[in-house]
Amino acid sequence: MTHEVAIRPARAEEAAALTELALRSKSHWGYDAEFLAACRAELTVRPDECASGAIRVAVDGPRILGFHCLRGTPPHGELASLFVDLDAIGRGVGDLLLKDVLSEATVRGFDDLTLEADPGAEPFYAHYGAVRIGATASGSIAGRVLPRMRLTLTSMRDHRES
């Protein structure tokens, strides 16, 4: 990365690029083309969602390195997605994005966020205190189950207010 990584709201015209980034990121776990094709609809980012402010992107100059999507109404929210482009994985972009969404959720008054993790990403979220609360059937692949996790934010907000 040549510039300082910044995080900003996504723009509606970036939806297609974010969809392709999500699919590339998903391939990190070794999924084949057939699997990724089956996930395309579920991973498609809509322009209206970008324009709504729900999606924030990590950028290095003009290049998008990753993004996250925060949904819901306080006190309970959902980390609907967090993806990092392949060549940025392992370079701190995921950490930066997760810290950003946790900060944003805390400021907005969420008590907790739930998420459905790729099985390979479960340790990443656990590192930040997410705990497995169950499992959810994949919306794309019949018979596939995803870890359902919760991040509790009330302690973060209480710490910020003191």
Side-chain angles (χ1 to χ4, degrees):
M1 292 181 276
T2 56
H3 304 91
E4 184 171 327
V5 176
I7 297 184
R8 63 161 172 78
R11 300 176 185 128
E13 63 272 14
E14 294 171 329
L18 295 179
T19 296
E20 295 308 314
L21 187 152
L23 288 162
R24 284 192 305 275
S25 179
K26 192 74 158 167
S27 76
H28 171 74
W29 303 112
Y31 301 125
D32 63 21
E34 183 180 352
F35 179 95
L36 294 172
C39 294
R40 179 173 281 280
E42 190 176 8
L43 297 181
T44 296
V45 177
R46 297 182 329 269
D48 62 311
E49 196 164 37
C50 291
S52 76
I55 297 176
R56 292 172 51 87
V57 296
V59 295
D60 179 5
R63 181 167 175 247
I64 298 173
L65 302 174
F67 70 95
H68 68 67
C69 178
L70 174 63
R71 292 184 186 144
T73 303
H76 306 294
E78 177 189 14
L79 175 54
S81 60
L82 190 155
F83 291 102
V84 176
D85 214 343
L86 287 176
D87 65 347
I89 290 174
R91 299 176 75 182
V93 176
D95 292 327
L96 187 66
L97 284 165
L98 189 58
K99 288 175 183 174
D100 182 73
V101 76
L102 294 175
S103 176
E104 178 71 16
T106 301
V107 167
R108 289 178 44 192
F110 287 98
D111 290 341
D112 56 58
L113 297 178
T114 56
L115 62 109
E116 295 167 2
D118 186 282
E122 186 173 6
F124 171 78
Y125 293 111
H127 175 77
Y128 285 91
V131 295
R132 186 188 271 230
I133 57 172
T136 303
S138 168
S140 302
I141 309 293
R144 182 168 192 255
V145 177
L146 304 173
R148 184 151 179 80
M149 304 182 82
R150 176 179 293 126
L151 286 155
T152 302
L153 306 174
T154 50
S155 60
M156 292 178 192
R157 186 174 59 241
D158 293 344
H159 178 71
R160 284 178 60 119
E161 293 172 355
S162 57

